């Protein structure tokens, strides 16, 4: 007897339909075809154990299993449930008119329990797109999949629950989630707040400008001056995620298996902070078995690289193109996938190997050659993609006691959102451009209008400070953002002066202090 059960396979960030075909005939043989990987091949043992411990005893027959389409590699353990249901139906231990109306995914334990799988959200999206009535999956994945409307999502704890549901022997109910209510309720917690940061007004201003224009930011300073503390608070001043951004972000984390049990939508902007020993594959994604990298997990959020020069040169250089294109295409022998990676890069570093170059009280023990080699670990093309480079000076104990608490993240965010709204109106109808940092050269010429005084000041600053030519466009983009924060259509000399002050590493005398 031949039975077909609908399931799905992940292909990058999307799912594709897969039909599990089970044919039971005479004999004692067992065949599994359709490019299954080891995890899928091992499902035979898991399914047999789960069926036996759930009270179902299959007759000794010849079984052939095909996963169609046969030319696409099948990976993971999510095929256990459709395989078990198909075997029961093919051996006439299960009869139901619901089999062809739904999609089944889930990993089985030997005791018949259902364990969560990766990619429940994209699978639910594909199930709705294909016109199926319902999706059956492990209970701990149900909230994740239930955010998709016009699809009934049933979360089950055990194989017996699924069989009883198909035979109308239980009252398993579809899970309903008020997506908007849960999303907006989860946005109330903003995490660490800038109100805890004392002093560092110039650096906090740089963080505000970076957040307002979506600019990449580099913090340079001695150990303990607050670089990491402020970087971790940047998500709290970014505009809140929109519902569409949340769905896109949740889909990436779902495929990566990073959502917790019973998780729903991601409502806060991601903040990813990988260790400097990370490999280039872990950073950008890929691998033998496809996995989104840190730059994609930080999509719509912040990627924080602490101790930037300690990262491998190969890993850092892989980010150059994604920083420009805001997406990355990974091509391997087994697959090809395009991942979004529109993130704000925030990096921190010491000014030298010992960390105290330019410190007001702690002497630096590094030679000029050591400082140059240390700074040379970060390439010029990568620095070229970091619009704001600001020094973080240490705060004395006296200042910590005397300085009152600063502005709250909520207050700063209000100014950032106001500036972003100006940019949204400016770039309306322009595909792929949402903030000033994403402007092309043509758009920069159109929207970054300088008055005569500002133009003269920029030319003078370029010559006086020895700024490189590559800093010119970055200065204009940052100046455009500063003008937006001031509500000014025209870029003035004041805006140019502040933007120039954020290009510390372009100064020819930086290492000679």
């Amino acid at each position: 007897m031949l039975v077909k059960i609908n399931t799905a396979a992940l292909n990058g960030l999307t799912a594709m339909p897969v039909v599990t075909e089970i044919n039971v005939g005479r004999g004692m043989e067992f065949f599994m075809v359709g490019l299954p990987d080891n995890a899928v091949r091992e499902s035979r043992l898991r399914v047999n154990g789960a069926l036996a411990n759930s009270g179902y005893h299959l007759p000794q027959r010849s079984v052939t299993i095909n996963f169609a389409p046969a030319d696409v590699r099948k990976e993971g353990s999510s095929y256990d449930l459709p395989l078990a249901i198909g075997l029961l139906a093919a051996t006439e231990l299960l009869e139901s008119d619901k089999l062809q109306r739904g999609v089944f995914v889930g990993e089985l334990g030997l005791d018949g329990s259902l364990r969560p799988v990766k990619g429940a959200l994209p699978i639910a999206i594909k199930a709705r797109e294909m016109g199926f009535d319902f999706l059956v999956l492990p209970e701990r994945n149900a909230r994740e999949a239930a955010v998709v409307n016009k699809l009934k999502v049933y979360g089950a704890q055990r194989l017996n629950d699924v069989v009883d549901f198909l035979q109308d022997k239980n009252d398993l109910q579809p899970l309903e989630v008020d997506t908007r209510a849960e999303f907006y309720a989860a946005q109330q917690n903003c995490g660490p707040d800038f109100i805890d940061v004392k002093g560092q007004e110039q650096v906090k201003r740089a963080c505000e400008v970076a957040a307002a224009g979506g600019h990449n930011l580099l913090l340079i300073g001695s150990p303990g001056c607050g670089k990491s503390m402020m970087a971790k608070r940047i998500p709290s001043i970014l505009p809140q995620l929109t519902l569409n951004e949340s769905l896109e972000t949740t889909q990436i984390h779902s495929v990566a298996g990073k959502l917790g049990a019973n998780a729903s939508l991601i409502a806060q902007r991601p903040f990813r902070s990988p260790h400097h020993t990370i490999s280039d594959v872990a950073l950008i994604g890929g691998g033998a078995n496809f996995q989104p990298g840190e730059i994609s997990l930080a999509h719509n959020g912040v990627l924080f690289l602490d101790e930037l020069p300690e990262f491998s040169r190969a890993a850092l250089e892989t980010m150059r193109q994604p920083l420009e294109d805001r997406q990355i295409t990974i091509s391997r022998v087994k697959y090809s996938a395009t991942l979004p990676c529109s993130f704000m890069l925030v990096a921190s570093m010491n000014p030298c190997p010992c960390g105290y170059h330019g410190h007001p009280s702690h002497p630096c023990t590094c030679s000029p050659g050591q400082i140059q080699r240390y700074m040379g670990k970060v390439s010029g093309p990568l620095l070229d993609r970091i619009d704001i480079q600001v020094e973080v000076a240490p705060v004395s104990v006296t200042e910590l006691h005397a300085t009152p608490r600063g502005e709250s993240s909520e207050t700063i965010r209000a100014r950032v959102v106001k500036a972003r709204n100006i940019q949204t109106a400016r770039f309306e109808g322009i595909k792929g451009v949402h903030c000033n940092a994403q402007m092309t050269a043509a758009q920069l010429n159109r929207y970054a209008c300088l008055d005569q005084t500002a133009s003269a000041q920029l030319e003078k600053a370029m010559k006086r400070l020895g700024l490189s030519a590559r800093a010119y466009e970055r200065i204009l983009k940052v100046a455009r953002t500063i003008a937006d924060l001031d509500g000014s259509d025209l870029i003035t000399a004041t805006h140019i002066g502040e933007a120039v002050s954020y290009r510390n590493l372009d100064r020819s005398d930086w290492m000679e202090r």
Side-chain angles (χ1 to χ4, degrees), residues 372-386:
Q372 189 171 15
R373 283 192 296 273
Y374 183 78
M375 297 300 296
K377 290 182 179 180
V378 183
S379 70
L382 181 60
L383 286 176
D384 184 41
R385 289 161 172 80
I386 301 178

Side-chain angles (χ1 to χ4, degrees), residues 10 33 46-47 105 120 154 166-167 170 180 193 214 235 290 294-295 369 371 409 421 432 435:
L10 293 176
V33 296
R46 291 193 298 272
V47 169
V105 292
Y154 295 91
L166 292 172
Q167 295 180 323
N170 64 13
R180 292 185 179 273
D193 199 299
F290 172 78
E294 290 291 335
I295 63 173
I371 297 174
S409 291
N421 289 339
C435 56

Side-chain angles (χ1 to χ4, degrees), residues 110-127:
L110 294 180
D111 59 352
S113 62
L114 280 171
R115 295 172 177 167
V117 296
K118 296 180 180 180
L121 179 55
I123 289 173
I125 293 172
K126 177 57 68 172

